[in-house]
Amino acid sequence: MTKPNKPFYLEPSARLQRFLGRELIADPNVAIIEFVKNGYDAGATEVVIEFVLDGLEPKDQQIIISDNGAGMTTDGFRRNWLRPGYSEKVDKRRVKVRSSGRERVTVGEKGLGRLAAGRLGERLDIYTRRTPKAKWLHVEFVWADYDDMQKSMREIPVPYTVGEAPPQSAFNIGSCMVIEDLSVKWAGKVPGRKVKGRADTRLGRLRQDLELLTLGLDEGDADFSVSIRHDLSDKRSVCGPIDPIAAPASPYRYEIDVASSDEGITVKRTIQRSPEVTAESNRPPREEHTVNLEHPSTAGTGEDDAEDTTDDGNPHGLSCGPFSAVFYYFPPQMKTEQLGVENGVFLYRDGVRVEPYGRNDWLGIRAAKASRQGHAPIAPNQLLGQIRITRDENEALTDMSNRQGLVENEAFHALVTVAQSELQHFGDVILNELVKPQWTQPSDRARYGAERTLDALGLIVRAKVHDLRQPLLTVGTHLDRLEPLEDSSSIPKRDRSIIREVRTESVNLLEFVDRRIAELLQRRFDMDPEEFDVVTIIDRVEADTSADLQALGVDLIRDEVNSVKVVGPPEALFEAVREFVLNGARAAAKHTESPQVSIRAAVRDGQIEVVVRDNGAGLPEGAPDDPFDGGWSSDGGGGAGLNTARELLALYYANPTLKSTEDGTEVVTSFPTDSTRRRLGR
Amino acid sequence: MNAASVLLIDDNLGFIEAASKNAHERGLRLDAVEDWAAALEEFQVGWHELVIADFMLGDSRTGLRLLATIKRMRPETRLVLISGILADDAPAELAGSFVDRYLPKGPLLMTELRAEIEIATDIAARPADWQKAAEATLADEIADEELDRIEAILKGSRTDL
């Protein structure tokens, strides 16, 4: 019988710290939040994050994160902190909050968050003690010491002292992390483009992320607060305690409790309506009913509900475990940015946010709107939501170690599917109560028809032009193979000349087609309505048409452009006004040596008017009664552009008119003053 | 002086076939592959002076990250990012710290790429830092916060295709 060999043992290289610390977490805000969560799990009521930055080189800058939680003894530190991957919280899922004694469910479980310090800076000093009378334990980490691949992790000494107090800590107990030699520039703005809804500065973005860290709305943890301090001169809106987001004033609040039952999946749905919506919809301010997603025939109390749950089907069982959620809907004129509300559906476990769900449209709201067009009234920027899970009841929903989200398993799929199904139901409620009543007017029907057509058209056009571009590239690459032959002495001169001509002409045509394709790909087809200033559209049209107008020798004149606000999809107005300007420019260029197009945007007799005039030949004899009907244009070309422009303006309930003037043609677009009111159903 | 060797990564088979024929007929050395793994294998063998990658590779990783990874292996390599779907001229501005040039995929791409080959030709003569290359080869994929950010912006700015 063979004697068994002495077994092997894994011995992690010291360099593993680099991968688990410095290179595992991409976002430095996530690394800071890991320490805030550690304080939360230590039963702290307060965490203070202090940045010492002003006038210092990065190596001298500091981040000091202090909490008034339970702190650690030397033995506890050795047993827990010094063993990456070990977490007492796996077995001990609850801690007592220091001041109140209330129980709190812990959020960490991987034992890796502590290593995130390496993402923030090259050096970490930890100070911790459990009581004011105990001596501080001070432990030092210099992460560069762990870069030696030849050494194992246990060969790197971790120096510590007992009795040395932190140089500055917000509290006289708990833990204080001092991170130095910072790897990220925290002062000033984040480089690159602005991100809609996000602060310009790193500290501002950190504050935004911390505002979302705990549940907020109407169910936040009153026993926990986070503050930011820094020494930079501009302290506006960043320094100070951070309040979780408050429950916003919204016309609709939709709350669900999802659970397994003998019948399948049971959803308790509660809809709350604002007083205005209650009055206008003739519905009660609060409705509550329970539906079963597997047996739609038993569902709901109303006709609409039964119809909706039939569509819901059975979303793959509830392998994720029970969960609850709350959603707030904001109509187009209630911009979430102006309300100080981030939009998105955020995920919370035991009251603490699970990154990165929220801003990333993980429930596919935009795609749902695109596929159902006008029948899906909720756009991503019109929704705030929170989905709430717990460690105890949703064990299959586990975090990935890099904090990039949950492991995508069957349970996660079930969570997403049920949430999407419920959002569809919420959208149907809004559609039936808020949107459909507006469809009785012919102009409204036209508007929604146009919206559906444009949404679908945008997707189809982009898909088709992308398909076209790939073979164009290949054709261009093949044509390029002919170029060496144009100078080949083995080919007769006449043939070389033909090859050159064919190649040059073909390349020119390919370039023309490719430019048009590039234009289509760059054009945004975002048809989400919003309130905006017409001046911004005229600015865009002026910039966009300048090259074409210059080629035609046409001057664009701003006759009178005042700041006026309209509600609708900005892209639709841009396309329509651009069409009027180019149409007028072509007509003027054919008629006069000093061609001009002028734009006016102003309020006339209480109506918003956008007027585009040209000094062309005007409408000729025999022009149709309705020049927008297609097949005709004032420049003598095809009229498809004018027809499209009118379709686009239907999205604003606006109806353009085109007529001859003393010296050319004039297109007047009047926006009904009540369009805002009507689209909101008020 | 020998012309620079070129590595092209693109999952459009029609294009890489046409580009390979084009290069062969002009006496240029061009290796063309379709995905990330093949690209790294090919680069470690061919040590190319010019690497051209499409933004979206077939396995949902980006050519930008691939080029950044190759840059770490051989910093002097000239790197060109190409794309037919990025929505505007943002790539040139944003990707500038990771690649030498961004080119939209248009019919004249080969003309532009020949100019790139000219530029890359003198790189062949430069000595290689083999130690740095060996270290970089150990990590398959570069981790970089700025790269994550730019990649996310570019993915967000492309059309929904």
Side-chain angles (χ1 to χ4, degrees), chain B residues 149-160:
Chain B
R149 191 181 70 80
I150 291 170
E151 199 174 55
I153 293 173
L154 292 181
K155 277 183 175 178
S157 73
R158 76 201 163 100
T159 54
D160 299 331

Side-chain angles (χ1 to χ4, degrees), chain B:
Chain B
M1 187 185 290
N2 290 333
S5 58
V6 185
L7 176 60
L8 171 65
I9 307 105
D10 197 312
D11 59 355
N12 178 350
L13 293 181
F15 170 55
I16 62 175
E17 189 181 321
S20 297
K21 285 180 179 172
N22 191 318
H24 175 72
E25 287 156 6
R26 291 172 183 274
L28 299 172
R29 187 188 138 200
L30 182 140
D31 297 315
V33 295
E34 295 169 52
D35 58 38
W36 175 292
L40 283 186
E41 274 182 35
E42 198 69 43
F43 183 76
Q44 283 163 19
V45 174
W47 209 240
H48 306 79
E49 283 83 37
L50 173 63
V51 182
I52 303 151
D54 191 17
F55 178 69
M56 281 313 296
L57 300 179
D59 57 0
S60 84
R61 288 197 279 189
T62 69
L64 177 63
R65 190 169 293 270
L66 173 64
L67 292 176
T69 305
I70 285 175
K71 189 180 184 70
R72 196 170 55 174
M73 296 166 72
R74 190 186 184 191
E76 64 271 25
T77 298
R78 189 158 178 87
L79 305 170
V80 176
L81 183 69
I82 58 176
S83 173
I85 59 169
L86 292 176
D88 52 26
D89 58 358
E93 180 191 338
L94 284 168
S97 53
F98 293 99
V99 302
D100 296 295
R101 197 169 175 202
Y102 166 73
L103 289 170
K105 275 181 165 180
L108 291 182
L109 182 63
M110 280 309 292
T111 310
E112 298 285 352
L113 291 182
R114 281 205 302 280
E116 288 299 317
I117 293 171
E118 290 285 321
I119 295 169
T121 293
D122 70 332
I123 294 173
R126 296 184 204 167
D129 184 343
W130 293 104
Q131 188 178 342
K132 181 178 270 183
E135 284 171 8
T137 307
L138 291 172
D140 181 38
E141 190 172 319
I142 194 167
D144 185 294
E145 185 203 348
E146 182 66 1
L147 184 61
D148 294 342
R149 191 181 70 80
I150 291 170
E151 199 174 55
I153 293 173
L154 292 181
K155 277 183 175 178
S157 73
R158 76 201 163 100
T159 54
D160 299 331
L161 295 168

Side-chain angles (χ1 to χ4, degrees), chain A residues 251-252 273-274 276-278 280-281 283 329-334 377-378 382 426-439 444 448 653 677-682:
Chain A
Y252 281 92
R273 301 176 180 86
S274 68
E276 293 82 8
V277 170
T278 302
E280 290 171 23
S281 65
R283 297 267 185 163
Y329 168 75
F330 303 92
Q333 90 287 10
M334 289 178 76
I378 302 177
Q382 292 171 268
F426 185 32
D428 288 345
V429 170
I430 292 164
L431 181 75
N432 289 328
E433 296 183 13
L434 204 62
V435 180
K436 275 187 178 173
Q438 302 172 48
W439 290 2
D444 295 324
Y448 278 93
Y653 306 95
R677 184 181 60 78
R678 287 166 62 196
R679 63 165 293 105
L680 298 175
R682 291 184 174 178

